[in-house]
Amino acid sequence: MDVTLWLVAVIAFIVLEAVTYQLVSVWFVIGSLGGLVAAALGANLGVQIAIFVILSALMLVVLRPLSMKLLKPKGLKTNTDRLIGEDVLITQDVNNISETGQGRIKGMTWTVRSESGEDIPENTVATVVRIEGVKLIVKAK
């Protein structure tokens, strides 16, 4: 009877994982397989449950952080990445404190912030260091 119970648990956790596809129950599949093996070897129900809990917890603690790191989407590259290193003409004084500043690059107007926090006056040419959301972070030349 115990073998059937663990087999049902394995299948149920596999189905749950297939439905969620977010690495929610795969750890319990492994734990259930441990319980299944213990049941097949004749261990009592207490030992089977202990093996299930220990294996599931171990898999969760050891493998989940690793799998999240490996499966985490990397930063999505866009066409805007090609602006990094390009010159931008400042069309409005850049002041990070007052949150003002605009620049024009490749025919488009962008919100601009200074990388160092220094003010950059209008009609200055600056270099794009990085992009944060919809803002160009620049360094004065």
Side-chain angles (χ1 to χ4, degrees):
M1 180 67 180
D2 293 341
V3 172
T4 306
L5 173 73
W6 289 112
L7 193 56
V8 168
V10 168
I11 292 168
F13 285 125
I14 288 172
V15 168
L16 181 63
E17 187 62 40
V19 171
T20 60
Y21 62 86
Q22 294 180 8
L23 296 179
V24 173
S25 63
V26 69
W27 324 111
F28 305 117
V29 171
I30 296 167
S32 296
L33 287 171
L36 177 67
V37 168
L41 294 175
N44 69 41
L45 187 60
V47 172
Q48 295 170 31
I49 292 172
I51 289 173
F52 167 76
V53 170
I54 291 168
L55 262 180
S56 296
L58 188 64
M59 293 299 108
L60 191 62
V61 168
V62 173
L63 295 180
R64 188 168 197 286
L66 178 64
S67 66
M68 288 307 180
K69 182 191 274 188
L70 293 174
L71 297 176
K72 183 178 179 182
K74 307 292 187 267
L76 182 63
K77 294 270 185 193
T78 64
N79 289 337
T80 59
D81 293 333
R82 66 181 177 204
L83 299 178
I84 297 172
E86 295 287 326
D87 289 342
V88 57
L89 175 63
I90 304 302
T91 58
Q92 178 189 41
D93 292 343
V94 176
N95 183 302
N96 290 3
I97 295 171
S98 63
E99 297 182 347
T100 60
Q102 287 187 345
R104 192 142 180 89
I105 184 170
K106 297 192 185 267
M108 302 222 19
T109 301
W110 287 75
T111 300
V112 176
R113 295 294 179 262
S114 169
E115 179 185 42
S116 65
E118 68 180 298
D119 291 349
I120 303 174
E122 186 176 347
N123 294 321
T124 302
V125 175
T127 303
V128 178
V129 177
R130 67 181 179 278
I131 301 170
E132 291 181 1
V134 296
K135 295 179 182 78
L136 298 179
I137 309 302
V138 302
K139 175 175 59 174
K141 283 190 154 191

